[in-house]
PDB file of all heavy atoms in Angstrom:
ATOM      1  N   MET A 128      54.077 -58.172 -88.220  1.00 90.00           N
ATOM      2  CA  MET A 128      55.175 -57.269 -87.872  1.00 90.00           C
ATOM      3  C   MET A 128      55.034 -56.784 -86.433  1.00 90.00           C
ATOM      4  O   MET A 128      56.019 -56.662 -85.698  1.00 90.00           O
ATOM      5  CB  MET A 128      55.196 -56.080 -88.824  1.00 90.00           C
ATOM      6  CG  MET A 128      56.438 -55.215 -88.714  1.00 90.00           C
ATOM      7  SD  MET A 128      57.897 -56.010 -89.434  1.00 90.00           S
ATOM      8  CE  MET A 128      57.553 -55.816 -91.185  1.00 90.00           C
ATOM      9  N   SER A 164      43.382 -61.516 -80.281  1.00 79.00           N
ATOM     10  CA  SER A 164      44.012 -62.820 -80.143  1.00 79.00           C
ATOM     11  C   SER A 164      45.531 -62.696 -80.251  1.00 79.00           C
ATOM     12  O   SER A 164      46.272 -63.339 -79.506  1.00 79.00           O
ATOM     13  CB  SER A 164      43.482 -63.767 -81.222  1.00 79.00           C
ATOM     14  OG  SER A 164      44.138 -65.013 -81.161  1.00 79.00           O
ATOM     15  N   GLY A 170      51.665 -62.591 -74.784  1.00 81.00           N
ATOM     16  CA  GLY A 170      52.003 -62.775 -73.374  1.00 81.00           C
ATOM     17  C   GLY A 170      52.200 -61.483 -72.614  1.00 81.00           C
ATOM     18  O   GLY A 170      52.461 -61.501 -71.402  1.00 81.00           O
ATOM     19  N   ARG A 225      40.303 -38.410 -61.364  1.00 97.00           N
ATOM     20  CA  ARG A 225      39.631 -38.494 -60.067  1.00 97.00           C
ATOM     21  C   ARG A 225      38.459 -39.464 -60.126  1.00 97.00           C
ATOM     22  O   ARG A 225      38.306 -40.347 -59.259  1.00 97.00           O
ATOM     23  CB  ARG A 225      39.134 -37.110 -59.642  1.00 97.00           C
ATOM     24  CG  ARG A 225      38.438 -37.094 -58.286  1.00 97.00           C
ATOM     25  CD  ARG A 225      37.773 -35.763 -58.009  1.00 97.00           C
ATOM     26  NE  ARG A 225      36.703 -35.475 -58.969  1.00 97.00           N
ATOM     27  CZ  ARG A 225      35.503 -36.023 -58.935  1.00 97.00           C
ATOM     28  NH1 ARG A 225      35.195 -36.908 -57.986  1.00 97.00           N
ATOM     29  NH2 ARG A 225      34.594 -35.708 -59.831  1.00 97.00           N
ATOM     30  N   LEU A 227      37.901 -41.930 -62.320  1.00 98.00           N
ATOM     31  CA  LEU A 227      38.310 -43.310 -62.585  1.00 98.00           C
ATOM     32  C   LEU A 227      38.991 -43.938 -61.374  1.00 98.00           C
ATOM     33  O   LEU A 227      38.798 -45.125 -61.096  1.00 98.00           O
ATOM     34  CB  LEU A 227      39.236 -43.347 -63.804  1.00 98.00           C
ATOM     35  CG  LEU A 227      38.554 -43.031 -65.141  1.00 98.00           C
ATOM     36  CD1 LEU A 227      39.576 -42.955 -66.262  1.00 98.00           C
ATOM     37  CD2 LEU A 227      37.490 -44.079 -65.466  1.00 98.00           C
ATOM     38  N   THR A 239      51.514 -33.302 -69.256  1.00 94.00           N
ATOM     39  CA  THR A 239      52.628 -32.440 -69.607  1.00 94.00           C
ATOM     40  C   THR A 239      53.640 -32.456 -68.468  1.00 94.00           C
ATOM     41  O   THR A 239      53.481 -33.205 -67.502  1.00 94.00           O
ATOM     42  CB  THR A 239      52.139 -31.000 -69.835  1.00 94.00           C
ATOM     43  OG1 THR A 239      51.659 -30.470 -68.586  1.00 94.00           O
ATOM     44  CG2 THR A 239      51.013 -30.958 -70.873  1.00 94.00           C
ATOM     45  N   GLY A 243      52.363 -28.443 -61.319  1.00 97.00           N
ATOM     46  CA  GLY A 243      51.084 -28.289 -60.645  1.00 97.00           C
ATOM     47  C   GLY A 243      50.069 -29.321 -61.095  1.00 97.00           C
ATOM     48  O   GLY A 243      49.323 -29.878 -60.275  1.00 97.00           O
ATOM     49  N   HIS A 254      49.074 -43.064 -58.886  1.00 97.00           N
ATOM     50  CA  HIS A 254      50.293 -43.487 -58.211  1.00 97.00           C
ATOM     51  C   HIS A 254      51.509 -43.390 -59.113  1.00 97.00           C
ATOM     52  O   HIS A 254      52.625 -43.751 -58.700  1.00 97.00           O
ATOM     53  CB  HIS A 254      50.147 -44.927 -57.714  1.00 97.00           C
ATOM     54  CG  HIS A 254      49.158 -45.073 -56.607  1.00 97.00           C
ATOM     55  ND1 HIS A 254      48.956 -46.264 -55.934  1.00 97.00           N
ATOM     56  CD2 HIS A 254      48.317 -44.180 -56.024  1.00 97.00           C
ATOM     57  CE1 HIS A 254      48.027 -46.098 -55.003  1.00 97.00           C
ATOM     58  NE2 HIS A 254      47.620 -44.846 -55.055  1.00 97.00           N
ATOM     59  N   LEU A 256      52.990 -41.116 -62.995  1.00 98.00           N
ATOM     60  CA  LEU A 256      52.730 -40.045 -63.953  1.00 98.00           C
ATOM     61  C   LEU A 256      53.431 -40.360 -65.271  1.00 98.00           C
ATOM     62  O   LEU A 256      54.487 -40.999 -65.290  1.00 98.00           O
ATOM     63  CB  LEU A 256      53.231 -38.704 -63.403  1.00 98.00           C
ATOM     64  CG  LEU A 256      52.583 -38.222 -62.092  1.00 98.00           C
ATOM     65  CD1 LEU A 256      53.362 -37.043 -61.523  1.00 98.00           C
ATOM     66  CD2 LEU A 256      51.121 -37.849 -62.318  1.00 98.00           C
ATOM     67  N   GLY A 264      53.892 -38.459 -81.472  1.00 78.00           N
ATOM     68  CA  GLY A 264      54.284 -38.787 -82.831  1.00 78.00           C
ATOM     69  C   GLY A 264      55.267 -37.841 -83.478  1.00 78.00           C
ATOM     70  O   GLY A 264      55.621 -38.023 -84.648  1.00 78.00           O
ATOM     71  N   ARG A 272      64.509 -30.308 -71.918  1.00 93.00           N
ATOM     72  CA  ARG A 272      65.299 -31.152 -71.021  1.00 93.00           C
ATOM     73  C   ARG A 272      65.251 -30.632 -69.580  1.00 93.00           C
ATOM     74  O   ARG A 272      65.144 -31.408 -68.625  1.00 93.00           O
ATOM     75  CB  ARG A 272      66.741 -31.210 -71.521  1.00 93.00           C
ATOM     76  CG  ARG A 272      67.664 -32.087 -70.690  1.00 93.00           C
ATOM     77  CD  ARG A 272      69.092 -32.019 -71.201  1.00 93.00           C
ATOM     78  NE  ARG A 272      69.998 -32.746 -70.338  1.00 93.00           N
ATOM     79  CZ  ARG A 272      70.299 -34.020 -70.463  1.00 93.00           C
ATOM     80  NH1 ARG A 272      69.761 -34.716 -71.434  1.00 93.00           N
ATOM     81  NH2 ARG A 272      71.139 -34.606 -69.632  1.00 93.00           N
ATOM     82  N   ASP A 308      61.805 -43.745 -65.134  1.00 96.00           N
ATOM     83  CA  ASP A 308      61.682 -45.163 -64.808  1.00 96.00           C
ATOM     84  C   ASP A 308      61.389 -46.047 -66.006  1.00 96.00           C
ATOM     85  O   ASP A 308      61.714 -47.234 -66.001  1.00 96.00           O
ATOM     86  CB  ASP A 308      60.591 -45.356 -63.753  1.00 96.00           C
ATOM     87  CG  ASP A 308      60.954 -44.663 -62.452  1.00 96.00           C
ATOM     88  OD1 ASP A 308      61.849 -45.162 -61.756  1.00 96.00           O
ATOM     89  OD2 ASP A 308      60.354 -43.623 -62.136  1.00 96.00           O
ATOM     90  N   ALA A 342      74.780 -46.049 -62.684  1.00 94.00           N
ATOM     91  CA  ALA A 342      76.228 -45.977 -62.518  1.00 94.00           C
ATOM     92  C   ALA A 342      76.680 -44.582 -62.103  1.00 94.00           C
ATOM     93  O   ALA A 342      77.687 -44.424 -61.409  1.00 94.00           O
ATOM     94  CB  ALA A 342      76.925 -46.379 -63.819  1.00 94.00           C
ATOM     95  N   PRO A 353      92.854 -34.178 -67.339  1.00 66.00           N
ATOM     96  CA  PRO A 353      93.611 -35.365 -67.729  1.00 66.00           C
ATOM     97  C   PRO A 353      93.031 -36.631 -67.116  1.00 66.00           C
ATOM     98  O   PRO A 353      92.613 -36.636 -65.956  1.00 66.00           O
ATOM     99  CB  PRO A 353      95.018 -35.092 -67.204  1.00 66.00           C
ATOM    100  CG  PRO A 353      94.825 -34.112 -66.090  1.00 66.00           C
ATOM    101  CD  PRO A 353      93.659 -33.257 -66.508  1.00 66.00           C
TER     102      PRO A 353
END
Side-chain angles (χ1 to χ4, degrees):
M128 191 73 75
S164 176
R225 181 189 63 77
L227 291 174
T239 66
H254 292 186
L256 299 169
R272 181 184 174 90
D308 297 288

